[in-house]
């Protein structure tokens, strides 16, 4: 008990210090979060979480207070390999299929096949890889991945403690403390981010520990518990895959279409988004722990599944894709600073929704002002051309007669009617009440 408190405190402080110390090297290496266009957020938080967790657990093994048992050594080594793969993805932007293959390979070494069997073990390998990638996708907004990771680590640690797996309980408490130290710098507005290194590591450890805690028990109940523990990550992945599939967009292409992005478009602040997602994660984890401990029936997970489905379908209706790409419509504003719906000429917004009459009138006023500007610029150009023509004629006359006349100022030249103004006045005469019947054109 005392060692667990000391280990958690050490992991929290070590992560908080390492996240600051590694910030400058991350900036030099260009290890930055490319979500933010106005401020650079280095991805030093993930490396700090991985180093702090591994160092504290290794110190427990070296001192003998918390030796690595129950397959923890293999799990920690596989998680470190996944973290290295995530760091390479942060540096060189590896493809998602390569990350999935590497994570699944690492997961194949940590699944307890003796308790699960070959078929269920293969499903567990795929589930661990999917959860790790889903946690990587959660790192799309400030504070979201860290908050969900802390809540899930406490829940999975409680399940491991109920199964008398003290080693896994200590590992998960250390991971939760490390993520808490990371949140000290990642709470909105974030100064560091997890990146693929930290998010893949955290998701892999949580998923593998949950599989080990449920191994050897009923498969249906185990699947329900695993879903409840990771309901938020599953909801985010399902929402993104559904939206991109329906919109015909590449499934692996990044975009501002995740949970936090859609909640922001509904009007929530960045802090409010983090709190709402954290509360949802806590509700799902609580149900999973109660079902795992036998204090609630497995049917309670159906409520989690129903609410998750409603949230996914509801947020799916929130428009995030524009005709010109979500990058230009990230905050519902066009690149010129006008609302997105004013950019449509046919009276419809960029996502196909009809705009109201006020928006159409505002757009029409803008178009009229733009037309007046075109006419004014045409008149100024005609004035300049007339002045240049007068200057040329004056030069030719002085060359023939020997006397150079005084140049007439441009301001004194009466501007001729521009073609645009002529068309406008002709249209007004055609609409006049004094014109009746067809107009007859006289030649000669």
């Amino acid at each position: 008990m005392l060692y667990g408190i000391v280990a958690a405190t050490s992991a929290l402080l070590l992560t908080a210090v390492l996240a600051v110390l590694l910030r400058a090297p991350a900036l030099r290496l260009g290890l930055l979060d490319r979500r933010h266009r106005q401020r650079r957020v280095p991805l030093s938080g993930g490396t700090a979480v991985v180093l702090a967790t591994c160092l504290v657990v290794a110190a427990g093994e070296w001192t003998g207070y918390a030796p690595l048992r129950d397959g923890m050594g293999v799990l920690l080594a596989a998680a470190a390999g996944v973290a290295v793969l995530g760091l390479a993805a942060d540096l060189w932007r590896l493809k998602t299929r390569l990350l999935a293959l590497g994570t699944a390979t690492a997961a194949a070494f940590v699944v307890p096949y003796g308790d699960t069997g070959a078929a269920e073990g293969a499903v567990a390998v795929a589930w661990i890889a999917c959860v790790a990638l889903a946690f990587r996708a959660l790192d799309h907004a400030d504070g979201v991945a860290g908050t969900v990771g802390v809540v899930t680590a406490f829940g999975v640690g409680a399940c491991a403690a109920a199964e008398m797996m003290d080693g896994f309980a200590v590992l998960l408490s250390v991971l939760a403390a490390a993520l808490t130290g990371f949140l000290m710098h990642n709470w909105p507005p974030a100064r560091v981010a997890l990146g693929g290194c930290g998010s893949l590591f955290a998701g892999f450890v949580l998923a593998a520990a949950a599989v080990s805690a449920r191994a050897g028990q009923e498969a249906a109940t185990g699947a329900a518990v695993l879903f409840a523990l990771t309901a938020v990550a599953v909801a985010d992945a399902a929402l993104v895959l559904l939206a991109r599939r329906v919109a015909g967009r590449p499934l692996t292409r990044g975009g501002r279409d995740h949970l936090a992005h859609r909640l922001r478009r509904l009007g929530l602040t960045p802090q409010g988004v983090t709190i709402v997602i954290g509360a949802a994660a806590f509700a799902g984890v609580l149900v999973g722990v109660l079902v795992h401990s036998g204090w609630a029936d497995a049917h309670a997970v159906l409520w989690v599944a129903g609410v998750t489905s409603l949230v996914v379908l509801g947020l799916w209706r929130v428009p995030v894709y524009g005709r010109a790409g979500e990058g230009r419509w990230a905050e519902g504003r066009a690149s010129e600073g006008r609302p997105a719906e004013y950019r449509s000429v046919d009276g419809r917004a960029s996502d196909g929704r009809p705009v109201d009459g006020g928006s159409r009138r505002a757009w029409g006023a803008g178009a009229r002002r733009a037309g007046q500007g075109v006419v004014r610029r045409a008149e100024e150009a005609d004035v300049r051309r007339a002045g240049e023509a007068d200057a040329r004629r004056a030069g030719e006359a002085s060359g023939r007669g020997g006397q150079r006349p005084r140049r007439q100022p441009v301001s004194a030249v009466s501007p001729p009617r521009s073609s645009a103004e002529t068309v406008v006045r002709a249209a007004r005469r055609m609409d006049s009440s004094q014109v009746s019947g067809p107009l007859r054109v006289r030649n000669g």
Side-chain angles (χ1 to χ4, degrees):
M1 180 65 181
L2 180 61
Y3 172 77
I5 297 175
V6 173
T9 305
S10 303
L12 189 151
L13 297 177
L14 186 59
T15 304
V17 173
L18 286 176
V20 176
L21 295 179
L22 295 175
R23 193 173 187 274
L27 291 174
R28 294 194 196 97
L29 294 174
L31 196 62
L32 304 173
D33 192 349
R34 291 171 175 81
R35 293 177 318 215
H36 304 275
R37 300 182 179 180
Q38 298 179 353
R39 55 189 177 94
R40 302 185 301 171
V41 181
L43 301 177
S44 60
T47 307
V49 169
V50 174
L51 290 178
T53 304
C54 294
L55 288 176
V56 171
V57 174
E61 168 67 19
W62 180 66
T63 57
Y65 286 104
L68 297 177
R69 54 179 179 265
D70 301 331
M72 285 181 52
V74 178
L75 172 60
L76 203 58
V82 172
V84 172
L85 182 63
L87 182 61
D90 291 334
L91 288 171
W92 298 297
R93 295 297 175 183
L94 301 181
K95 293 185 178 296
T96 305
R97 62 175 66 95
L98 183 58
L99 294 177
L101 179 60
T103 307
T105 303
F109 290 96
V110 301
V111 173
Y113 298 99
D115 298 328
T116 61
E120 294 181 6
V123 176
V125 168
W127 187 82
I128 291 173
C130 291
V131 169
L133 293 176
F135 263 85
R136 180 174 180 261
L138 276 180
D139 191 32
H140 59 266
D142 298 347
V144 173
T147 303
V148 175
V150 170
V151 174
T152 308
F154 278 118
V156 179
C159 295
E163 298 297 327
M164 298 300 178
M165 303 173 67
D166 297 336
F168 279 100
V170 172
L171 172 62
L172 292 167
S173 65
V174 170
L175 177 61
L179 290 173
T180 304
F182 159 74
L183 276 176
M184 296 172 63
H185 305 284
N186 186 248
W187 190 259
R191 295 182 295 275
V192 297
L194 270 180
C197 177
S199 57
L200 283 177
F201 175 82
F204 185 88
V205 171
L206 293 173
V211 168
S212 299
R214 289 297 309 178
Q217 303 184 27
E218 187 181 358
T221 305
V225 171
L226 295 179
F227 166 75
L229 292 174
T230 58
V232 170
V234 172
D236 180 71
L239 175 62
V240 170
L241 293 178
L242 174 64
R244 293 178 185 176
R245 182 68 176 177
V246 174
R249 300 170 64 85
L251 298 181
T252 58
R253 177 185 175 184
R256 299 179 61 85
D257 50 3
H258 292 265
L259 280 175
H261 301 144
R262 296 172 187 270
L263 291 176
R264 287 283 289 128
R265 289 184 68 87
L266 292 178
L268 272 70
T269 62
Q271 295 83 358
V273 168
T274 304
I275 293 174
V276 168
I277 294 179
F282 176 78
V285 167
L286 180 61
V287 173
V289 172
L290 293 178
V291 173
H292 175 80
S293 304
W295 295 342
D297 190 74
H299 293 88
V301 181
L302 295 178
W303 289 95
V304 179
V307 173
T308 302
S309 301
L310 291 177
V311 169
V312 169
L313 294 177
L315 292 181
W316 173 51
R317 304 298 299 175
V318 177
V320 293
Y321 300 133
R323 293 177 183 175
E326 75 277 1
R328 299 179 63 184
W329 316 96
E331 298 297 335
R333 313 264 322 162
S335 57
E336 300 91 278
R338 297 193 304 272
E341 59 266 14
Y342 293 169
R343 296 199 48 172
S344 178
V345 181
D346 56 354
R348 302 188 70 82
S350 60
D351 56 354
R353 294 179 293 104
V355 298
D356 55 1
S359 300
R360 287 195 294 270
R361 288 192 295 272
W363 186 89
R368 287 193 296 273
R369 288 193 296 270
Q372 294 173 359
V374 171
V375 173
R376 183 170 60 254
R377 288 192 294 271
E379 292 177 351
E380 294 174 355
D382 291 339
V383 170
R384 287 195 298 270
R385 286 194 293 270
E388 293 173 357
D390 291 342
R392 285 196 299 271
R393 286 195 296 270
E396 294 173 358
S398 63
R400 290 193 301 269
Q403 184 178 2
R404 185 175 181 178
R406 185 176 180 180
R407 183 177 178 181
Q408 187 176 6
V410 178
S411 60
V413 179
S414 59
R417 292 180 180 178
S418 63
S419 58
E421 184 181 3
T422 304
V423 173
V424 172
R425 292 186 178 181
R428 290 177 179 176
R429 287 197 300 270
M430 291 293 296
D431 295 337
S432 176
S433 60
Q434 298 177 2
V435 179
S436 61
L439 295 178
R440 299 180 179 178
V441 180
R442 300 178 59 185
N443 297 330

